[in-house]
Amino acid sequence: MRRRDDEIVEEGEGLSIADDPGIVTSLARGLGVLRAFRRTDSGLGNQELAARTGLPKATVSRLTYTLSRLGYLVYRPETANYRLGTGVLALGLTTLGAMGIREVARPVMQDLADHCGGAVAMGTRDGMAMMYLETCHGSSTIQIALEAGSHLKLATSAIGRAYLAGLSPAERAPMLRRLEAREGRNWPAIRRGIEAALDNHGRLGFV
């Protein structure tokens, strides 16, 4: 299952669908179709979704029809493509609402943003990306142009490198191997940036 969000490609948690006999393949593929949508997409056709997910077009057609009947996609006949439906929004809002840590963290984050006059963000790992859960802004005219639900690359963003720094060496090693396989020829430069961030975190407490 693959998702491309600008330069972000999601490969699951290190295993393909075929590696786990307990996975319901059709469900995983359907979720893969939903995750193929980017924030900037106004709509996607079955051919585009097939290219992004790596699934056969016939399979994608059955999945998009099912998802549209269930309210997770909306079909637009004038453009012959799909956009995300309110069913996806309802799931996202329910998930955010259930995250009590946002309610606890928001006042502290806002106090910090007001104190430093900048912006403070909280995020979590989503595959090989970091997803913002909450942002708070101070008085600075320079603001984070991202909101809850936005994704940043794990390997090159400050929040992603902070996440890597917070892992134990045993937890970090497989993540770095996955990043190396994904980044290809760009890996040497990216690795140096990560190593510098880890050094900063060890010496200064931040990246």
Side-chain angles (χ1 to χ4, degrees), residues 7 152-161 164 179 183 189-190 194:
E7 297 183 8
L152 296 173
K153 292 186 69 174
L154 177 64
T156 55
S157 66
I159 194 171
R161 290 176 174 178
L164 291 172
L179 287 171
E183 296 295 344
I190 291 175
I194 293 174

